[in-house]
Amino acid sequence: MLEVVVILSVLLFLLGAVLWAGGGKTLHEAQGSGIIETIPGALETLPPPAADLVVLSYSMAYGLGDSRQYGRRGDPATVYDRLDAVIETIAASGADVVLLQEVDFASRRTYDVDQLQYIAAALGWGFVARAITWECRYLPAPFWIPQRHAGRLRAGQGVMSRYPLMQNTRQRLSQPLTQPLLSLLFSPYRTVQMVDMQCGDRTVRFLNVHLEPRDTITRQRQAQELVAFVRHVATPNCVLMGAFNSVAAEVTARPDGPAVSQDRTLDIITSGLRDRLRMVTDMHPPSPVAAPDYRREHALIGPGLQTVETQIVMLDEPVSDHLPLVVRLRWALPLVTQNRRPHHEHL
């Protein structure tokens, strides 16, 4: 009897420890907080609206160097070097707005640096909005190496802007169906972050997305959920960018038939949003042939915006397995109403 009591006590203690470690969530709602933050010491005068709007998207792997190794830690100098490299890339691009994925918000594994605030302050930008997608008191990863555990974790996606941000919401996407129950306490949620920006007398809606990187079936299900959400919220001045994590360009040859794509994520998104947003296809370089191991991102733009230039930024030392994508946009010209008589009117 005593042995049974001891075993039950140990199991209850372990369960309590797991629940404690997986807790500590500051946001429980699926739709996020709506908070817009300002950066102390940022430039007080707003830049005048320009003819072009430059948007950059970058999945920065939390400054850890590889987004596939959640528990990995680097030394402080290496983490700061990677953050400074992100800052230099943004500054060199001439971006007005940046959509970031895989950002740490003062996590122990990256030495308690709020990376979103750090980057925006270094750029002198005044406005940021974050979407928390991954949070727990203690992340025991990698599992078998306690001295390398990630520990306290708070991370997600962020939008930074030179111009005022007006609203910030998030929409959670579904989780992989094969995850063990308790692992949900320690796993990131894939999310669409929606932020509105005021640029002069125009409002631009940015949709910052991060889809499942590993499970193709889950990613395609998330793509369907993304389409349903975007169809309700898309505006003419709308930009959808982020980490789609799609490998649609890769095909596998079947012995009994032609080559077939193993990932329909982009097909689902582009076909489902065909009447709302258009995929930007003219990119320079056309494909990152010099960096075959890095993921290529994508952008979808509303009809109120024209694409002037789209560039995949080729870096000597990328900070993650994703390459930054820069899109230069211009306001579409208004339709000209011509004075035409109805076809049934006689001269």
Side-chain angles (χ1 to χ4, degrees), residues 14-344:
L14 292 176
L15 178 60
V18 169
L19 294 177
W20 174 87
K25 306 291 191 295
T26 56
L27 287 177
H28 301 278
E29 304 84 3
Q31 282 72 41
S33 68
I35 296 174
I36 302 294
E37 305 168 38
T38 56
I39 304 299
L43 300 178
E44 295 184 0
T45 57
L46 296 177
D52 292 351
L53 182 68
V54 181
V55 187
L56 181 145
S57 177
Y58 200 179
S59 182
M60 47 181 282
Y62 315 104
L64 298 174
D66 191 338
S67 62
R68 294 164 291 188
Q69 299 184 27
Y70 290 151
R72 180 179 178 180
R73 295 187 69 187
D75 61 273
T78 301
V79 171
Y80 275 99
D81 285 346
R82 291 187 179 122
L83 295 180
D84 292 342
V86 172
I87 294 167
E88 292 173 3
T89 299
I90 296 172
S93 71
D96 303 296
V97 187
V98 174
L99 281 59
L100 294 175
Q101 307 86 43
E102 297 186 328
V103 188
D104 264 358
F105 305 137
S107 296
R108 177 177 174 269
R109 64 181 178 179
T110 47
Y111 307 98
D112 301 308
V113 180
D114 189 324
Q115 296 177 347
L116 190 64
Q117 293 264 347
Y118 179 84
I119 295 172
L123 292 168
W125 294 8
F127 307 94
V128 300
R130 72 185 72 216
I132 300 172
T133 64
W134 194 11
E135 191 172 22
C136 60
R137 289 193 182 98
Y138 190 89
L139 179 66
F143 186 73
W144 297 112
I145 313 176
Q147 63 270 26
R148 292 178 58 191
H149 283 179
R152 186 186 66 256
L153 184 87
R154 193 169 188 240
Q157 299 159 217
V159 175
M160 305 183 305
S161 172
R162 299 178 187 269
Y163 302 105
L165 301 178
M166 309 304 295
Q167 67 90 21
N168 173 33
T169 60
R170 70 174 180 181
Q171 179 67 36
R172 283 182 177 173
L173 305 173
S174 60
Q175 296 283 80
L177 299 178
T178 57
Q179 278 190 322
L181 180 60
L182 290 179
S183 71
L184 295 175
L185 297 173
F186 302 95
S187 302
Y189 279 92
R190 305 305 169 187
T191 299
V192 187
Q193 180 187 17
M194 182 173 68
V195 176
D196 285 351
M197 183 198 74
Q198 192 69 35
C199 185
D201 60 349
R202 302 174 189 257
T203 300
V204 185
R205 174 157 291 176
F206 294 98
L207 300 172
N208 182 17
V209 64
H210 189 187
L211 300 183
E212 167 62 34
R214 297 171 184 81
D215 186 344
T216 301
I217 294 176
T218 299
R219 182 166 57 252
Q220 292 179 163
R221 185 168 66 252
Q222 291 171 350
Q224 294 171 341
E225 297 167 356
L226 173 65
V227 167
F229 175 72
V230 174
R231 289 189 64 83
H232 284 290
V233 302
T235 65
N237 297 334
C238 187
V239 179
L240 170 60
M241 296 176 70
F244 292 91
N245 285 308
S246 176
V247 290
E250 298 181 4
V251 294
T252 301
R254 298 174 57 181
D256 57 344
V260 295
S261 174
Q262 299 300 300
D263 186 359
R264 295 188 56 253
T265 300
L266 284 182
D267 292 338
I268 293 170
I269 294 173
T270 54
S271 61
L273 298 177
R274 194 182 308 276
D275 59 338
R276 297 289 197 279
L277 308 176
R278 68 185 185 280
M279 173 75 78
V280 175
T281 56
D282 186 15
M283 296 189 183
H284 175 78
S287 62
V289 292
D293 295 331
Y294 295 97
R295 295 179 184 267
R296 171 177 172 175
E297 302 304 353
H298 306 274
L300 288 88
I301 310 298
L305 298 165
Q306 295 177 339
T307 305
V308 178
E309 180 184 9
T310 307
Q311 180 181 8
I312 301 170
V313 182
M314 307 299 296
L315 303 173
D316 293 334
E317 296 184 5
V319 302
S320 75
D321 57 340
H322 293 253
L323 292 172
L325 177 63
V326 179
V327 180
R328 181 178 295 273
L329 302 170
R330 188 168 294 165
W331 310 110
L333 296 175
L335 295 175
V336 178
T337 304
Q338 298 180 353
N339 294 323
R340 294 180 178 177
R341 292 184 175 91
H343 64 85
H344 60 271

